[in-house]
Amino acid sequence: MNTVKIKDPAVRSYFFGKGFQDLRATIADGGKRNFDSAKGFIKKAPGWAEPMDVIKSSIWYAIGISILFFGSIFYMVASALHILLLGLFFIAIFIGFTGIWMIERWYLAIRSFFLACPHCHANSNIPEYFCDQCGEIHAQMLPNSYGVFFHRCLCGNKLPATFFLDRGRLQARCPVCHENIAREHVESRRIFVPVMGGPSTGKSAFLFGAVRQLVDHGVGHERFKAKPFDKRSEDAFRRVESMLRSGIPPDKTRDPIPRAFNLGLHKNGRLSFLLYLYDPAGEAYQEADKLSEHGFNNYLSGMILIVDPFAIPSVRSQYRTQLEEKYGAVKPSELSIEEVVDRLLMTLEADFGLSKRGKVSQPLAIVLNKSDAFGLESLIGAPALDRVMAQLSEKAPPDRNEARNRVLRNQLVKWGEQAFVSRIEARFSLVSYFACSALGRMPDRSKVDFTAKDVLPPLLWIFGKYDRANSIMSAKLY
Amino acid sequence: MADDDMGMVIGSIIFLTSMLIALSIVLLFGAIIGAAVGSYNYCKAIQTHVRLERPGA
């Protein structure tokens, strides 16, 4: 439970450490003092030679024996009371900190407050905290034997030991990678979404295209304002945004274990949601051991799988001529979509507790990218959807989301990806299909701004599944 | 003869009673002295060994 294993630079509660040392020393010293006192009185006896000496000696001896006898009785009673008192305080404090600890755990659990490190993706109940006076690290800033409500640092500073006393005001760090952690990485509503897919599927373009739209236009009925949460995310966003504005596609992601891109969704000036968007290098999906280091799989809110239609053999064959001309602009992904999903599932089974036949409960958005290329739009984009909607509306009022799922699922099957579709639907409880153009057009030398198309619906669908109140998600996804 | 016996009995009773009273007084004083010295010693032991840690104070 909350047994303190790590020694913090704090003063342990008197009743859990020093109290018992003091008790032992007091009991030993009390007994010795009694014995010495008795011996001291007996030594005063002048002897037994004279009648007066006999009387005096008898008195000194009587006093000595009284101290030895009655003093020992008193000493035993006092020792027992001392033990009882210390024991009572020990039990009371133990019950106190266990109770507060349990209430805190329960409260943090229902609010989904835990540390999710944006740097190394480690997760733990709480981070390590710095003393705001001396800077010492306190690894167990919880109600425990160091204190129920406060811990006293060895520098004398009193530190709040529970969430309820604003523990979050202290600077924190990740216990694994030791990077400093902002309070919101522990105490806020967060949504964790990795953007997955093989190399050259357009994950970075998708992510930054979506972020750009969120930042520029806000989101949802209640108009959340989006802005990069920290300087690192801000810098990354500004760099990619300026590239996109200049008609340059984002650089290829090199890091197989990405740091989270954090985007804050603010309402009325206050942070309502903190988004963690992960953009691992596509090469990570070629090596299972790289995927096992994606610690964020432990606390996913949902997943986005970017599919490059030109990684599908039948599509590649269908558009062979066009691809030969524009291969550099389209950059078809070389990794098959089945392989990406197989590696992901294998990793989830091996390292993240998914059983062999279990289903992933988090929503999965399958996003067919590059819909702008070679007229694919007519097969997977709005025109295809409009056709199906027109057919459906003859029977009953159609559901646009359902229609979109049908169009894209059927198209994947037509392209010979029945195995992929079946595997996805067998292993993921909640799947939805989307199509987008992360750059909005084919890259060329024109230096015209890239404007992503239809990149928000997959994100908003996942946000909507996470946010039960549905306050983020727009009613119309597509 | 009967008066002598009676005197002996009364004398014995007085003697035993006074011995008992004397013993009680001795025990009472002993208990008071023992408890006083014992409590003094325990208090001194507490004063010597019980220290609350107050870092930075």
Side-chain angles (χ1 to χ4, degrees):
Chain A
M1 214 178 67
N2 52 339
T3 317
V4 175
K5 289 173 189 157
I6 300 163
K7 195 166 171 16
D8 270 357
V11 181
R12 201 179 285 271
S13 163
Y14 180 77
F15 302 98
F16 278 78
K18 193 164 181 310
F20 289 93
Q21 291 167 18
D22 289 356
L23 173 72
R24 211 168 25 243
T26 304
I27 287 174
D29 192 30
K32 186 174 172 298
R33 278 172 189 269
N34 259 359
F35 187 74
D36 289 347
S37 298
K39 217 161 73 178
F41 281 111
I42 287 169
K43 268 188 185 165
K44 286 183 181 172
W48 308 93
E50 300 293 322
M52 260 324 274
D53 289 349
V54 171
I55 294 169
K56 284 180 183 172
S57 292
S58 302
I59 291 170
W60 290 123
Y61 264 90
I63 291 171
I65 290 164
S66 295
I67 290 168
L68 216 55
F69 183 72
F70 292 107
S72 297
I73 291 174
F74 182 88
Y75 159 77
M76 282 188 277
V77 171
S79 300
L81 281 174
H82 193 158
I83 293 168
L84 185 72
L85 206 66
L86 210 61
L88 282 176
F89 272 100
F90 175 90
I91 291 167
I93 291 172
F94 183 83
I95 291 170
F97 77 64
T98 305
I100 300 289
W101 177 81
M102 285 171 76
I103 292 168
E104 180 183 287
R105 288 290 309 123
W106 168 78
Y107 185 77
L108 295 183
I110 57 165
R111 296 196 66 180
S112 298
F113 284 179
F114 63 95
L115 164 68
C117 178
H119 310 287
C120 71
H121 316 303
N123 63 311
S124 65
N125 291 334
I126 59 161
E128 294 179 338
Y129 288 98
F130 291 90
C131 170
D132 53 359
Q133 190 166 288
C134 70
E136 278 288 340
I137 304 291
H138 292 253
Q140 295 286 323
M141 196 64 91
L142 295 160
N144 57 27
S145 61
Y146 285 111
V148 180
F149 297 107
F150 294 95
H151 291 187
R152 188 172 288 280
C153 180
L154 289 180
C155 73
N157 193 20
K158 204 170 153 189
L159 302 167
T162 166
F163 169 84
F164 304 112
L165 292 170
D166 199 20
R167 177 180 56 204
R169 74 174 167 79
L170 300 173
Q171 174 60 55
R173 76 171 193 182
C174 171
V176 178
C177 69
H178 294 172
E179 290 271 1
N180 281 3
I181 298 286
R183 179 179 195 162
E184 290 79 1
H185 290 301
V186 185
E187 299 173 7
S188 68
R189 289 200 287 174
R190 290 155 298 162
I191 303 177
F192 306 93
V193 184
V195 181
M196 308 178 300
S200 304
T201 47
K203 297 183 298 300
S204 304
F206 173 87
L207 187 144
F208 285 104
V211 168
R212 197 175 161 198
Q213 291 190 1
L214 288 171
V215 170
D216 289 348
H217 307 298
V219 59
H221 305 299
E222 297 169 70
R223 286 289 150 207
F224 287 90
K225 286 196 186 329
K227 62 178 181 187
F229 175 70
D230 50 26
K231 191 173 179 309
R232 194 175 50 78
S233 299
E234 173 84 34
D235 291 347
F237 173 64
R238 293 296 164 211
R239 187 169 46 79
V240 178
E241 189 197 27
S242 88
M243 290 173 80
L244 291 172
R245 281 193 198 285
S246 313
I248 304 166
D251 291 334
K252 179 172 171 47
T253 311
R254 306 258 171 227
D255 196 351
I257 306 152
R259 289 190 171 197
F261 179 89
N262 287 120
L263 189 72
L265 294 186
H266 300 260
K267 192 177 157 190
N268 301 328
R270 291 183 62 191
L271 181 73
S272 290
F273 290 91
L274 184 56
L275 309 186
Y276 289 61
L277 302 170
Y278 304 95
D279 175 25
E283 284 72 13
Y285 294 88
Q286 290 173 316
E287 297 167 57
D289 61 321
K290 291 277 191 308
L291 284 182
S292 64
E293 291 175 51
H294 288 180
F296 47 78
N297 288 330
N298 279 315
Y299 44 81
L300 292 175
S301 307
M303 289 169 266
I304 293 176
L305 176 63
I306 306 290
V307 172
D308 178 359
F310 299 100
I312 299 170
S314 66
V315 180
R316 219 183 252 228
S317 148
Q318 193 180 335
Y319 294 94
R320 186 182 298 126
T321 323
Q322 292 98 316
L323 274 175
E324 277 169 9
E325 286 171 20
K326 300 245 176 186
Y327 194 90
V330 178
K331 275 192 192 169
S333 178
E334 298 297 332
L335 190 63
S336 80
I337 54 178
E338 289 93 338
E339 270 188 72
V340 172
V341 170
D342 284 348
R343 291 231 172 79
L344 175 67
L345 285 170
M346 274 165 56
T347 308
L348 292 178
E349 285 168 2
D351 301 314
F352 298 99
L354 178 68
S355 65
K356 290 282 176 196
R357 292 187 176 188
K359 279 192 167 191
V360 178
S361 56
Q362 287 84 355
L364 171 69
I366 309 278
V367 182
L368 302 180
N369 192 14
K370 305 184 184 176
S371 68
D372 57 283
F374 313 139
L376 269 186
E377 179 90 9
S378 65
L379 293 177
I380 58 175
L385 183 56
D386 290 339
R387 274 198 309 275
V388 172
M389 289 290 285
Q391 288 165 12
L392 289 174
S393 61
E394 290 168 9
K395 298 170 190 169
D399 178 335
R400 201 168 170 84
N401 296 330
E402 207 176 287
R404 190 195 60 241
N405 277 332
R406 191 189 292 187
V407 167
L408 297 175
R409 187 186 180 284
N410 289 347
Q411 190 56 55
L412 281 169
V413 172
K414 276 185 203 160
W415 282 335
E417 292 297 338
Q418 176 66 61
F420 166 78
V421 170
S422 304
R423 188 143 174 75
I424 286 286
E425 291 178 358
R427 300 303 305 274
F428 291 84
S429 306
L430 212 52
V431 181
S432 197
Y433 297 85
F434 300 86
C436 78
S437 170
L439 291 176
R441 63 175 175 83
M442 292 261 242
D444 51 25
R445 293 177 182 177
S446 68
K447 295 190 176 176
V448 175
D449 189 1
F450 283 120
T451 310
K453 197 174 167 202
D454 298 328
V455 286
L456 276 188
L459 269 179
L460 296 180
W461 177 69
I462 289 174
F463 296 169
K465 295 292 170 204
Y466 172 82
D467 176 30
R468 291 188 194 94
N470 221 16
S471 55
I472 297 181
M473 192 181 71
S474 296
K476 189 181 167 190
L477 287 181
Y478 198 87
Chain B
M1 192 65 182
D3 288 348
D4 287 350
D5 288 346
M6 188 61 83
M8 209 159 145
V9 169
I10 290 167
S12 300
I13 289 169
I14 290 169
F15 176 74
L16 286 174
T17 309
S18 54
M19 285 305 286
L20 276 174
I21 290 169
L23 193 64
S24 302
I25 290 168
V26 168
L27 282 174
L28 181 68
F29 274 100
I32 291 167
I33 291 168
V37 175
S39 67
Y40 173 80
N41 283 338
Y42 205 84
C43 290
K44 285 299 279 186
I46 285 176
Q47 191 188 16
T48 308
H49 297 287
V50 175
R51 287 274 184 279
L52 293 177
E53 287 176 280
R54 291 219 172 273

